[in-house]
Structures are given as C-alpha cells and as structure tokens.
Amino acid sequence: MTLFLLASACLLIITLGYASLCAGSPFGTCRKCRGFGFAMKTDRKGRPKRGKHCRRCNGHGKRIRLGRHLFNAWQRIYRAGTDTPAKPGPNTTSKG
C-alpha cells in the first residue's frame, strides 16, 4: 500500500509540474533546429554557417508544447459544445 501511495504521489507531482510548465511557458525550443530557426551547416573549412530555414518551427525557433496543444484543443471543443443560442428579444412574440 505504501509503494502504491508513493508511486501515485510521484506521478501527481510530475503531472502537476508539467501542467504548470505548460501554463507558464507554453512554447518550448524546437528540437530540430535547437532554437536557432535554421539548420547549422559547416563550410569546407569546418566553420559553422547558416543553413536552411527550419520548416518545423517556421524559422521562429519555438514550438508549442504537447500539453499546451492538448489543453487548447480541449478548450476549443468545450467552448464549441457549450455555446448557448441567443435569447429572443422582447419584441419577438409568436402569434398563434
């Protein structure tokens, strides 16, 4: 029982830590270009030079984190599902 509680507490701490990271800093460094926005190449002498524009992050060097992406998708679905229709005004009465 104690091992189960310890594992649950560790999992809860990790989950809350990642959630706070996604809330505080929704964008992380692009893993492909390492935050440069372009690929690094070397010339014939071995000196680094600018390479091609990074297509994954569109040259910004930042990408949205997975947790933040999932949260945004959940919020979008929630807002679309709880959209209340407009109430009819006081002058629109049906005669029947």
Side-chain angles (χ1 to χ4, degrees):
M1 184 71 171
T2 307
L3 186 62
F4 176 73
L5 289 176
L6 181 64
S8 298
C10 288
L11 187 62
L12 182 67
I13 289 171
I14 290 170
T15 303
L16 291 177
Y18 184 69
S20 65
L21 177 70
C22 288
S25 176
F27 294 98
T29 306
C30 179
R31 292 187 303 269
K32 185 174 183 182
C33 65
R34 293 185 215 110
F36 287 120
F38 52 87
M40 292 296 292
K41 289 181 136 183
T42 56
D43 60 1
R44 291 183 178 194
K45 294 182 180 179
R47 293 181 296 203
K49 71 176 206 176
R50 183 182 177 114
K52 288 185 178 178
H53 180 78
C54 182
R55 295 185 336 187
R56 184 178 287 180
C57 66
N58 200 19
H60 296 287
K62 296 288 183 181
R63 299 227 346 151
I64 193 161
R65 295 185 194 275
L66 177 65
R68 186 61 181 210
H69 177 73
L70 293 174
F71 177 75
N72 289 347
W74 176 76
Q75 282 283 38
R76 196 176 311 116
I77 291 170
Y78 179 78
R79 287 186 190 124
T82 59
D83 190 20
T84 57
K87 294 181 181 176
N91 295 336
T92 57
T93 58
S94 61
K95 296 180 182 178

